[in-house]
């Protein structure tokens, strides 16, 4: 596959902000939008302007300050939504209206009490309204993951004809398996005659923990935009995590894909989002969790200390994380203990470490993690009275 750029569409400020407790005021949204622009995202979905006066103001203020990224506002397939989004986006250097409607039979019947033909008409009508305000129009086929491919292809062909320049294929409920999502994208490429006039976008939710895999499968099958959020925030189990897809693409050059993201900013921006949204990051979260570069078992620590690549595929500097950590617990081994003593300024030979290791295990069995203060105390006691410790 030839080298190709993946457009990173960040929806932290829209889908991410829908998380209960994560609501942001305008100043907070502005701060995060500027951080996202520095990170190198290509499109910032700033909000859903008709949803509240506060969100209108946030989108409007973001539109005034963002210089390089496209600023996007979400709408339903309703004229008023589109007018309000266009008004909020007016000051933007580059603006996008993101409009759409559900295309699965479930949504058509139980959400809209409608028919496939009527929904297709509403989709085309929404794109036609949006064209009054911008040439950059993204159409989302909500619940595309569970939509019939043949019908979906008809809708996508019609909205591209009406002027959509990006077509978003959301797996709204996080239902698809990676190969199914990839096949859906391939189906559209093979069955929508005018698909070359639009960019296909992946928007995956994480209900089965597959959002990042599905997005990467989408890209491997021809999609060229991925919609994602910092720390994987989003409705229910969240959205595709920006840091994960960016690093999957970066770590696998054989995919022939790249992004504009400045990866060394991933951890700082993750922390900023976590603090601003008051939403802690799980410690074992890939790339940005506090344990993402921590080694705690004896076997891993020994291997890591011999050569970092034995147990790390990413250098923490590359993603702006703190240096790799050797955590001392009751599962740690002698190499890690000797290494930590050395960092604390204590040089012990092998026999000393053997003796100190037994003392260390007694402390470790009582504590979750043995701290530098515990080790310093052990070392000083040992230096004063090595014989008494050796009798333990
Ligand atoms: O998950 C979804 O389908 C969405 C759309 C509004 C794009 O968030
Ligand atoms: Zn979504």
């Amino acid at each position: 596959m030839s080298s190709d750029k993946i457009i990173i569409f960040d929806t932290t400020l829209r889908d991410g902000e829908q998380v209960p407790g994560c609501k942001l005021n305008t100043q907070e949204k502005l701060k995060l939008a500027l951080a996202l622009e520095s990170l190198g995202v290509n499109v910032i979905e700033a909000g859903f302007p008709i949803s509240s006066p506060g969100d209108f103001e946030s989108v409007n203020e973001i539109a005034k300050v963002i210089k390089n990224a496209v600023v996007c506002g979400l709408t339903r397939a309703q004229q008023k939504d589109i007018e309000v989004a266009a008004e909020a986006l007016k000051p933007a250097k580059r603006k996008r209206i993101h409009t759409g409607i559900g295309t699965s039979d479930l949504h058509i019947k139980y959400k809209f009490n409608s028919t496939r033909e009527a929904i297709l008409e509403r989709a085309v009508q929404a794109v036609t309204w949006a064209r009054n305000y911008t040439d950059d129009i993204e159409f989302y086929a909500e619940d595309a993951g569970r939509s019939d491919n043949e019908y979906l292809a008809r809708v996508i062909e019609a909205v591209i004809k009406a002027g959509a320049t990006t077509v978003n294929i959301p797996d709204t409920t996080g239902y698809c398996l990676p190969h199914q999502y990839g096949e859906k994208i391939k189906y559209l490429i093979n069955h929508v005659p005018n698909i070359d006039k639009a960019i296909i976008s992946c928007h995956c939710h994480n209900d089965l923990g597959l959002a990042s895999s599905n997005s990467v499968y989408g890209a491997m099958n021809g999609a060229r935009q991925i919609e994602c959020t910092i720390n994987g925030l989003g409705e229910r189990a969240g959205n595709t995590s920006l840091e994960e897809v960016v690093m999957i693409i970066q770590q696998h050059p054989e995919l022939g894909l790249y992004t504009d993201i400045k990866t060394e900013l991933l951890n700082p921006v993750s922390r900023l989002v976590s603090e601003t949204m008051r939403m802690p990051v799980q410690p074992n979260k890939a790339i940005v969790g506090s344990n993402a570069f921590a080694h705690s078992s004896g076997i891993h620590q020994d291997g890591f200390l011999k050569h970092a690549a034995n147990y790390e595929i990413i250098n923490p500097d590359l993603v702006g994380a703190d240096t790799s950590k050797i955590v001392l617990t009751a599962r740690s081994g002698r190499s890690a203990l000797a290494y930590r003593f050395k960092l604390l300024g204590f040089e012990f030979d092998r026999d000393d470490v053997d003796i100190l290791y037994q003392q260390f295990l007694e402390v470790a069995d009582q504590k979750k993690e043995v701290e530098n203060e515990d080790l310093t105390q052990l070392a000083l006691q040992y230096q004063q009275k090595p014989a008494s410790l050796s009798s333990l």
Side-chain angles (χ1 to χ4, degrees):
M1 191 183 282
S2 64
S3 176
D4 232 333
K5 173 166 151 173
I6 296 297
I7 297 164
I8 295 294
F9 174 116
D10 181 279
T11 184
T12 307
L13 302 180
R14 199 278 296 170
D15 224 329
E17 204 233 12
Q18 289 172 206
V19 174
C22 283
K23 161 130 185 26
L24 301 168
N25 62 36
T26 297
Q27 283 318 308
E28 290 169 330
K29 272 200 160 187
L30 260 178
K31 180 174 69 176
L32 293 187
L34 291 167
L36 291 168
E37 177 157 68
S38 312
L39 180 64
V41 313
N42 308 102
V43 184
I44 298 173
E45 188 165 49
F48 181 11
I50 202 164
S51 66
S52 74
D55 217 34
F56 179 95
E57 185 193 327
S58 297
V59 175
N60 193 241
E61 292 301 318
I62 291 170
K64 288 178 192 161
V65 299
I66 292 300
K67 294 193 174 65
N68 302 313
V70 172
V71 181
C72 173
L74 183 78
T75 78
R76 293 164 295 185
Q78 291 182 15
Q79 191 166 13
K80 187 74 187 154
D81 281 34
I82 292 167
E83 283 168 12
V84 171
E87 186 61 28
L89 290 166
K90 222 178 210 165
K93 282 214 165 78
R94 300 168 70 197
K95 56 171 145 299
R96 174 177 300 183
I97 293 178
H98 189 190
T99 190
I101 195 159
T103 53
S104 67
D105 287 334
L106 260 161
H107 278 220
I108 292 173
K109 184 162 180 206
Y110 296 111
K111 202 173 142 180
F112 301 112
N113 189 23
S114 186
T115 62
R116 285 186 175 188
E117 292 316 310
I119 291 293
L120 192 144
E121 270 174 37
R122 283 179 67 180
V124 168
Q125 176 65 80
V127 172
T128 309
W129 283 323
R131 279 202 67 179
N132 293 327
Y133 306 100
T134 174
D135 291 336
D136 188 343
I137 299 161
E138 176 166 338
F139 174 83
Y140 63 85
E142 197 181 11
D143 205 16
R146 294 186 297 172
S147 298
D148 171 60
N149 281 349
E150 222 175 289
Y151 174 65
L152 183 63
R154 281 213 290 133
V155 174
I156 296 302
E157 182 183 351
V159 295
I160 294 174
K161 202 164 157 215
T165 43
T166 301
V167 286
N168 180 7
I169 312 301
D171 184 21
T172 304
T173 56
Y175 174 73
C176 290
L177 292 171
H179 74 278
Q180 293 170 335
Y181 189 73
E183 279 162 14
K184 193 171 277 286
I185 301 299
K186 195 181 261 173
Y187 181 92
L188 295 174
I189 289 178
N190 291 333
H191 292 85
V192 176
N194 54 0
I195 198 70
D196 57 312
K197 304 213 165 34
I199 288 177
I200 300 182
S201 184
C202 310
H203 178 112
C204 298
H205 278 266
N206 206 31
D207 299 65
L208 293 173
L210 292 171
S212 296
S213 312
N214 285 351
S215 299
V216 171
Y217 260 74
M220 286 164 66
N221 282 281
R224 285 297 173 266
Q225 176 174 284
I226 292 180
E227 310 199 357
C228 44
T229 60
I230 301 291
N231 301 335
L233 290 169
E235 283 276 353
R236 303 180 312 280
N239 286 57
T240 299
S241 147
L242 182 149
E243 57 277 7
E244 290 175 14
V245 285
V246 165
M247 291 313 293
I248 293 168
I249 288 169
Q250 201 270 354
Q251 288 289 300
H252 285 276
E254 72 276 17
L255 296 176
L257 304 171
Y258 70 96
T259 73
D260 290 339
I261 296 298
K262 298 183 184 71
T263 60
E264 66 282 4
L265 292 180
L266 286 172
N267 269 273
V269 173
S270 159
R271 277 196 295 273
L272 182 70
V273 167
S274 168
E275 284 160 19
T276 312
M277 288 193 156
R278 302 159 284 274
M279 184 56 69
V281 176
Q282 72 191 62
N284 58 327
K285 171 82 180 61
I287 321 296
V288 295
S290 56
N291 286 346
F293 299 96
H295 306 272
S296 76
S297 87
I299 296 171
H300 285 218
Q301 290 173 334
D302 184 54
F304 172 78
L305 290 170
K306 284 177 177 145
H307 186 60
N310 281 331
Y311 284 99
E312 270 183 7
I313 59 164
I314 298 170
N315 182 324
D317 290 344
L318 185 60
V319 293
D322 295 337
T323 50
S324 309
K325 276 191 290 187
I326 295 286
V327 184
L328 291 179
T329 71
R331 304 290 159 262
S332 301
R334 288 170 178 73
S335 320
L337 183 63
Y339 168 79
R340 182 71 75 80
F341 274 139
K342 202 165 166 192
L343 288 183
L344 293 170
F346 300 102
E347 291 275 0
F348 293 116
D349 64 22
R350 226 187 148 93
D351 291 340
D352 292 328
V353 172
D354 274 347
I355 296 164
L356 278 159
Y357 184 63
Q358 301 310 318
Q359 187 75 2
F360 158 79
L361 285 180
E362 281 183 25
V363 179
D365 266 339
Q366 287 159 38
K367 300 187 77 175
K368 281 195 171 20
E369 188 178 332
V370 180
E371 311 285 352
N372 285 345
E373 301 79 67
D374 305 312
L375 294 173
T376 306
Q377 206 183 345
L378 268 184
L380 292 174
Q381 272 175 19
Y382 183 74
Q383 282 175 334
Q384 281 161 12
K385 276 192 189 173
S388 70
L389 278 178
S390 66
S391 64
L392 285 167

